[in-house]
Amino acid sequence: MEKATVVVIGGGATGVGILRDLAMRGVDVMLVEKQDLVNGASSRYHGLLHSGGRYAVKDQEAARECIEENMILRKIGRSCVEASGGMFVRLDSDDPDYEQQWVQGCKDSGIEATPITLAKAFELEPLLSKHVVSAYLVPDAAIDGFRMSWQNVDSAKRYGGRVKTYTEVVGVIKENNEVHGIKIRDYFTGEEYEIGCDILVNAAGGWAGKVAELAELEVGVQPDKGTLIAFNQRITNHVVNRLHKSSDGDIFVPHGSITILGTTSMSVPSAEDTSTSREEVEHLLSIGEMTFENLRNYRMLRAFAGSRPLYMPPGGASGRGASRGFAIVDHEKQDGLKGMFTIVGGKFTTYRLMAERMADQVCAKLGNKEKCRTAEEPLVPEVSEEAKKAARKYFPAYGTDLAATRLGPERFARVTETLARDPEKRELLCECENVTRGEVEEMAKELSSFRINDIRRRTRLGMGTCQANFCALRSASVFAKVGRDEAARDSLGQMKEFLQGRWKGIRPVLLGRTIREMEMTRALYELSFNVNGGEKE
């Protein structure tokens, strides 16, 4: 039987953070995830690195955690953070008393909130509504959840951490009220086998309650669905928050060349529910256009949704009334089952802190005295300026820096060498995100790449303004040639799956220019390439 001292269930931000923390303390640790990493809430959000301003009135402990972790993540994950800065704006329809509470809350929480004149606000954000009556600058930022999580894994591997993706936990092995391991199922082959462990950490997010049930335990987790809209332009320069009591549709986050508006809050029965609807889109637009009045003039790329795993202690509130804090349950103390913990709740901005607190408790059980070092050591070394300068003659314009941040030094060096050796590998498969054929081939060969979507999450292939119109065909062809798994040979199936993933998010925003863009996609793939063989799907 394969064994690890600690097994972590769940490949979201919290799970990979625990993996890295324990590996750095010298613990033999393995993470298992039922699909690809970061497929749940850790990637299905607006990508906001909170300053804490959003929680300054309601939850000052969460606000302080956010500002402290905000500064740490900027330091250890520089290539994942876009330090755009943030702006809180109050409209003439918003409660002026709340503004005073917010200013005091920021001061008490250690968040620098700098008041600016309206003239300055409109200079920085020219598209703001003329109904804005006050504005403040705060240290918000944007963060790439995919990249941050994979860099945690890369860091953990350097210290011996192990990861198994597409591996679902189907049972917990226990005897005499003590955990001895897990039973897992391979997603592709259906093979079931066992992994032994001394300690099991349930970090499955919205699925934490279901994992607990496998050990005949009960953990209260309420999936809370949030829907977001991605626009094809950078509407704002800063992260823009509405200065009022937290509600739907009041945050705009610029990411690269696009902007994300979110989010809603809706309790749902299952974390698997990532559906979106035309009604939710209209709801977000109607609120968002109060802050940016010309919002409907922009083309919507897609809508998407994720579920926050809110911890529900007995008698706790739900929805926006529930705490955004986190909880750690030692099941030996609570339920008499030795060797199992559950961690649930929290937010992406505080994932590292959550991992540290969890690792502290695990190490205490193991007698491990090593201190946490995750706040000091960068996730991955940065690509040197010399290496980027030498690579610029092989990469497309504007593509060198993007590739360097996506790949890290070792992969970037290999891709540069490939592009230098073979000019055909310089071909752009994705023009929107400047992704070369050489980069796609590099990621396709990795053991964690089973589908094109796995490569997408690593490279941003297909996530730009055309939403895979052109790169779906190209990437399926390349994946079929160099992918290590037999499933990669099914280029038509891979391409259709890739396109269907994009289509799911496009369907709720089919209006205006989005319809014209979608018709072009349909013409390309159904009429020119006949991907459905003339049959309707």
Side-chain angles (χ1 to χ4, degrees), residues 7 9 14 18 199-213 215 217-221 309 311 326-332 334-335 337 339-345 354 357-358 361-362:
V7 167
I9 302 173
T14 306
I18 296 168
I199 293 181
L200 182 63
V201 176
N202 173 14
W207 294 265
K210 293 189 178 298
V211 170
E213 288 175 5
L217 303 174
E218 184 176 349
V219 172
V221 181
Y311 178 55
F326 64 90
I328 294 174
V329 180
D330 180 345
H331 291 291
E332 182 176 6
Q334 178 170 298
D335 306 295
L337 179 63
M340 183 168 175
F341 291 93
T342 292
I343 181 167
V344 68
M354 295 168 64
R357 298 273 174 82
M358 185 71 261
Q361 294 206 29
V362 170

Side-chain angles (χ1 to χ4, degrees), residues 143-264:
I143 187 167
D144 187 319
F146 295 116
R147 191 176 308 158
M148 177 67 79
S149 298
W150 274 106
Q151 288 191 2
N152 270 275
V153 170
D154 286 344
S155 175
K157 285 181 176 177
R158 287 198 293 276
Y159 290 96
R162 291 174 282 167
V163 173
K164 288 178 179 287
T165 55
Y166 293 100
T167 301
E168 182 177 8
V169 177
V170 295
V172 173
I173 303 167
K174 59 181 186 175
E175 186 177 352
N176 297 327
N177 294 322
E178 184 172 352
V179 169
H180 293 283
I182 55 173
K183 186 175 183 180
I184 59 175
R185 179 189 297 136
D186 185 288
Y187 179 89
F188 296 103
T189 67
E191 178 191 3
E192 294 187 356
Y193 58 102
E194 297 178 349
I195 298 175
C197 67
D198 299 326
I199 293 181
L200 182 63
V201 176
N202 173 14
W207 294 265
K210 293 189 178 298
V211 170
E213 288 175 5
L214 296 176
E216 300 179 287
L217 303 174
E218 184 176 349
V219 172
V221 181
Q222 174 58 62
D224 186 78
K225 190 180 76 167
T227 296
L228 307 103
I229 303 173
F231 294 87
N232 78 324
Q233 287 179 239
R234 197 171 170 109
I235 301 172
T236 71
N237 298 310
H238 298 72
V239 176
V240 174
N241 287 261
R242 183 102 166 259
L243 208 175
H244 66 173
K245 187 177 179 181
S246 297
S247 184
D248 294 350
D250 55 4
I251 303 177
F252 290 81
V253 183
H255 278 276
S257 59
I258 70 169
T259 304
I260 295 176
L261 164 64
T263 173
T264 58

